């Protein structure tokens, strides 16, 4: 059975962490003109930061790296490349977490080459110092031991993927009690959505 430490993050934590991150940006004196949200993880934090910092211009870059919960592609890439003129602008690139740091490295390099901004800084809610190759200019929480953070915008996708991992390892997911036991045993936390509801949704999606 897979052993992956999973930590469920609440909506309230996301708001608190985003506000905390905004304070650090304000304290540094950096005046942000444009936020680039890395999709999809940076979308919600970007919107909260934009509100707190008073930033009207929020755009997005779709980076593909971790395609499935706790399983990643070897290489990060920009899925829908485009160019835009940000000359004279102070840019903030935002993501939820820096794990390998590849998404931020790629997005920063891409924005520098294609958007021509005055300055680029980066911000994440969390950084895993043990694993990242790149530490963002601003972050709110430093994570010492690697875990998969189940953010509230990802509950359905993550729980479904984690159930699939159990199925692939031989757990009989038709037996709800066995599934529940195996889930907690493998991931060290309870699912934020009832597993019987998840199974119904997997059936609806044709993934059961
Ligand atoms: P990175 O490895 O820094 O390029 O991470 C890319 C993206 O994958 C992040 O923006 C998250 O959306 C997601 N991700 C990577 N590692 C984790 C993790 N430990 N917990 C939750 N999401 C993660």
């Amino acid at each position: 059975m897979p052993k992956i430490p999973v930590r469920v993050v609440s909506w309230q934590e996301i708001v608190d962490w985003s506000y905390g991150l905004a304070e650090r940006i304000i304290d540094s004196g950096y005046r942000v003109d444009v936020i680039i949200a890395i999709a999809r993880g940076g979308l919600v934090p970007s919107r909260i930061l934009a509100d707190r910092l008073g930033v009207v211009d929020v755009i997005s870059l779709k980076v593909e790296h971790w395609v499935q919960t706790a399983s990643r592609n070897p290489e990060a890439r920009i899925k829908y490349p485009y160019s835009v003129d940000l000359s004279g602008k102070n840019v903030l690139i935002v993501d939820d977490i820096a794990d390998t740091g590849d998404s931020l490295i790629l997005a920063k390099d891409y924005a520098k080459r294609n958007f021509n901004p005055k300055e680029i800084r980066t911000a994440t809610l969390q950084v895993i110092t043990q694993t990242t190759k790149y530490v963002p200019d601003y972050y709110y929480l430093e994570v010492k031991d690697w875990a998969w953070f189940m953010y509230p915008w990802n509950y359905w996708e993550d729980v479904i993927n984690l159930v699939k991992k159990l199925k692939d390892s031989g757990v009989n997911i038709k037996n709800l009690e066995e599934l529940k036991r195996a889930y907690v045993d493998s991931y060290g936390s309870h699912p934020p959505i009832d597993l019987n509801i998840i199974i119904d949704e997997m059936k609806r999606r044709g993934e059961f």
Side-chain angles (χ1 to χ4, degrees), residues 103-120:
S103 301
L104 283 173
I105 293 169
L106 177 73
K108 188 175 176 182
D109 179 61
Y110 183 85
K112 207 177 193 170
R113 284 188 291 106
N114 296 281
F115 299 171
N116 189 38
K118 183 168 137 210
E119 186 172 348
I120 303 179

Side-chain angles (χ1 to χ4, degrees), residues 65-66 95-103 128 146-149 151:
H65 194 200
W66 295 73
D95 208 352
D96 45 10
I97 188 165
D99 185 330
T100 62
D102 287 341
S103 301
I128 309 184
W146 191 92
W148 183 264
F149 291 88
Y151 297 114

Side-chain angles (χ1 to χ4, degrees), residues 127-131 142-146:
V127 61
I128 309 184
T129 33
Q130 209 181 57
T131 51
E142 183 180 345
V143 176
K144 294 263 197 264
D145 298 314
W146 191 92

Side-chain angles (χ1 to χ4, degrees), residues 44-108:
V44 175
S46 289
R47 188 62 190 89
I48 300 171
L49 284 177
D51 180 38
R52 179 65 186 85
L53 299 175
V55 176
V56 175
D57 290 345
V58 180
I59 63 174
S60 184
L61 263 180
K62 169 79 175 131
V63 176
E64 269 192 335
H65 194 200
W66 295 73
V67 284
Q68 239 215 27
T69 307
S71 317
R72 75 184 137 88
N73 272 350
E75 224 174 88
R77 67 174 190 118
I78 307 282
K79 188 161 182 195
Y80 301 107
Y82 64 95
S83 277
V84 71
D85 181 19
L86 298 182
S87 43
K89 307 280 189 199
N90 283 338
V91 165
L92 185 71
I93 297 179
V94 176
D95 208 352
D96 45 10
I97 188 165
D99 185 330
T100 62
D102 287 341
S103 301
L104 283 173
I105 293 169
L106 177 73
K108 188 175 176 182

Side-chain angles (χ1 to χ4, degrees), residues 125-144:
L125 299 179
Q126 296 178 286
V127 61
I128 309 184
T129 33
Q130 209 181 57
T131 51
T132 195
K133 305 180 192 82
Y134 172 85
V135 176
D137 298 298
Y138 307 99
Y139 58 88
Y140 186 64
L141 290 177
E142 183 180 345
V143 176
K144 294 263 197 264

